[in-house]
Amino acid sequence: QVQLVESGGDSVQTGGSLRLSCDLSGYRLILGRMAWFRQGQGKEREGVAGLRLDGETRYADSVKGRFTISRDKEQNILHLQMNDLNTEDTAMYYCAAGPFGFIDRILDAQEYEQWGQGTQVTVSS
Protein backbone atom coordinates (compact mmCIF):
# COMPACT_ATOMS: atom_id res chain seq x y z
CA GLN A 1 0.00 0.00 0.00
CA VAL A 2 1.48 3.28 -1.14
CA GLN A 3 1.23 5.89 1.58
CA LEU A 4 3.47 8.67 0.30
CA VAL A 5 3.03 10.30 -3.10
CA GLU A 6 5.82 12.13 -4.93
CA SER A 7 5.43 14.57 -7.79
CA GLY A 8 7.45 17.14 -9.70
CA GLY A 9 9.87 14.96 -11.60
CA ASP A 10 10.65 16.04 -15.14
CA SER A 11 13.28 16.24 -17.85
CA VAL A 12 15.50 19.32 -17.69
CA GLN A 13 18.81 20.49 -19.10
CA THR A 14 22.02 20.88 -17.20
CA GLY A 15 21.87 23.90 -14.92
CA GLY A 16 18.12 23.78 -14.61
CA SER A 17 15.97 23.55 -11.49
CA LEU A 18 13.14 21.35 -10.27
CA ARG A 19 11.02 21.22 -7.16
CA LEU A 20 9.88 17.83 -5.98
CA SER A 21 6.94 17.38 -3.65
CA CYS A 22 5.86 14.53 -1.43
CA ASP A 23 2.40 14.29 0.10
CA LEU A 24 2.91 12.97 3.63
CA SER A 25 -0.78 12.74 4.49
CA GLY A 26 -0.70 8.97 4.13
CA TYR A 27 1.84 8.59 6.92
CA ARG A 28 -0.12 7.31 9.90
CA LEU A 29 2.54 6.89 12.56
CA ILE A 30 4.26 9.57 14.68
CA LEU A 31 6.37 11.52 12.21
CA GLY A 32 9.93 12.30 13.26
CA ARG A 33 12.16 12.28 10.20
CA MET A 34 11.65 12.73 6.48
CA ALA A 35 14.07 12.30 3.65
CA TRP A 36 14.63 12.16 -0.08
CA PHE A 37 16.50 9.30 -1.65
CA ARG A 38 17.42 8.61 -5.25
CA GLN A 39 18.41 5.64 -7.33
CA GLY A 40 20.07 5.97 -10.69
CA GLN A 41 20.04 3.18 -13.23
CA GLY A 42 22.43 0.47 -12.13
CA LYS A 43 23.21 2.29 -8.89
CA GLU A 44 22.33 1.75 -5.27
CA ARG A 45 19.73 3.88 -3.55
CA GLU A 46 21.37 6.84 -1.82
CA GLY A 47 20.16 9.38 0.69
CA VAL A 48 20.05 12.89 -0.72
CA ALA A 49 18.53 15.11 1.95
CA GLY A 50 16.93 14.58 5.34
CA LEU A 51 14.84 16.73 7.63
CA ARG A 52 14.07 15.99 11.26
CA LEU A 53 10.98 17.43 12.86
CA ASP A 54 13.09 19.70 15.08
CA GLY A 55 14.49 21.36 11.97
CA GLU A 56 17.84 19.58 11.73
CA THR A 57 18.86 18.77 8.18
CA ARG A 58 21.49 16.66 6.47
CA TYR A 59 22.57 16.58 2.84
CA ALA A 60 24.69 14.26 0.76
CA ASP A 61 27.98 15.90 -0.18
CA SER A 62 27.08 15.68 -3.85
CA VAL A 63 24.07 18.00 -3.44
CA LYS A 64 25.18 20.42 -0.71
CA GLY A 65 24.61 24.00 -1.77
CA ARG A 66 22.33 22.95 -4.62
CA PHE A 67 19.42 21.09 -2.98
CA THR A 68 17.17 22.26 -0.15
CA ILE A 69 14.74 20.12 1.79
CA SER A 70 11.73 21.72 3.46
CA ARG A 71 8.29 20.90 4.75
CA ASP A 72 5.02 22.77 4.41
CA LYS A 73 3.50 22.01 7.80
CA GLU A 74 -0.01 23.16 6.94
CA GLN A 75 -0.21 21.08 3.77
CA ASN A 76 1.96 18.30 5.21
CA ILE A 77 4.05 18.24 2.06
CA LEU A 78 7.77 17.61 1.87
CA HIS A 79 9.68 19.50 -0.80
CA LEU A 80 13.07 19.15 -2.42
CA GLN A 81 14.24 22.22 -4.28
CA MET A 82 16.96 21.21 -6.73
CA ASN A 83 19.08 23.85 -8.42
CA ASP A 84 22.02 23.72 -10.80
CA LEU A 85 21.15 20.18 -11.85
CA ASN A 86 23.67 18.05 -13.68
CA THR A 87 23.55 14.70 -15.44
CA GLU A 88 24.71 12.91 -12.28
CA ASP A 89 21.40 13.93 -10.66
CA THR A 90 19.43 11.79 -13.11
CA ALA A 91 17.57 9.21 -11.03
CA MET A 92 14.27 8.09 -9.62
CA TYR A 93 13.64 10.15 -6.51
CA TYR A 94 11.79 8.73 -3.53
CA CYS A 95 10.53 10.33 -0.36
CA ALA A 96 10.50 8.45 2.92
CA ALA A 97 9.05 9.10 6.36
CA GLY A 98 9.79 7.57 9.72
CA PRO A 99 9.83 8.05 13.48
CA PHE A 100 12.10 10.35 15.41
CA GLY A 101 15.68 9.16 15.62
CA PHE A 102 19.33 10.03 15.35
CA ILE A 103 20.13 12.81 12.91
CA ASP A 104 23.32 11.00 11.88
CA ARG A 105 21.26 8.16 10.44
CA ILE A 106 18.67 10.30 8.67
CA LEU A 107 20.06 9.37 5.24
CA ASP A 108 20.08 5.65 6.00
CA ALA A 109 17.29 3.92 4.06
CA GLN A 110 16.92 1.30 6.78
CA GLU A 111 15.58 3.98 9.12
CA TYR A 112 12.35 4.30 7.13
CA GLU A 113 9.37 2.05 6.78
CA GLN A 114 7.16 4.12 4.50
CA TRP A 115 8.08 5.13 0.98
CA GLY A 116 6.54 6.60 -2.11
CA GLN A 117 6.64 5.10 -5.59
CA GLY A 118 9.11 7.66 -6.87
CA THR A 119 9.27 10.43 -9.43
CA GLN A 120 11.75 10.45 -12.31
CA VAL A 121 14.26 13.25 -12.76
CA THR A 122 16.24 13.28 -15.99
CA VAL A 123 18.96 15.84 -16.64
CA SER A 124 20.44 16.12 -20.11
CA SER A 125 23.44 18.10 -21.32
Side-chain angles (χ1 to χ4, degrees):
Q1 181 180 0
V2 175
Q3 294 159 306
L4 308 180
V5 181
E6 303 96 335
S7 62
D10 205 345
S11 296
V12 297
Q13 291 191 325
T14 299
S17 298
L18 282 175
R19 188 191 195 202
L20 305 183
S21 299
C22 174
D23 186 350
L24 299 171
S25 60
Y27 187 76
R28 298 304 182 188
L29 303 178
I30 299 175
L31 183 64
R33 293 178 295 179
M34 300 147 279
W36 287 95
F37 290 78
R38 68 185 181 187
Q39 187 166 17
Q41 194 168 5
K43 299 180 180 179
E44 293 186 356
R45 186 171 297 192
E46 63 169 341
V48 173
L51 171 65
R52 201 166 63 176
L53 215 58
D54 61 1
E56 288 280 342
T57 59
R58 287 292 187 274
Y59 294 92
D61 288 342
S62 58
V63 306
K64 281 181 182 177
R66 300 188 298 122
F67 290 13
T68 303
I69 188 171
S70 64
R71 176 178 172 235
D72 182 327
K73 295 179 183 178
E74 289 188 2
Q75 299 292 327
N76 204 16
I77 295 176
L78 184 69
H79 294 292
L80 183 67
Q81 178 65 42
M82 307 187 295
N83 298 327
D84 192 23
L85 288 161
N86 59 62
T87 56
E88 294 296 310
D89 297 317
T90 294
M92 184 72 80
Y93 284 72
Y94 302 88
C95 67
F100 201 85
F102 294 111
I103 188 66
D104 290 343
R105 298 187 62 179
I106 201 166
L107 297 184
D108 184 346
Q110 294 183 351
E111 295 288 300
Y112 300 92
E113 69 275 354
Q114 294 188 15
W115 296 78
Q117 287 186 316
T119 186
Q120 178 67 36
V121 172
T122 303
V123 185
S124 58
S125 58

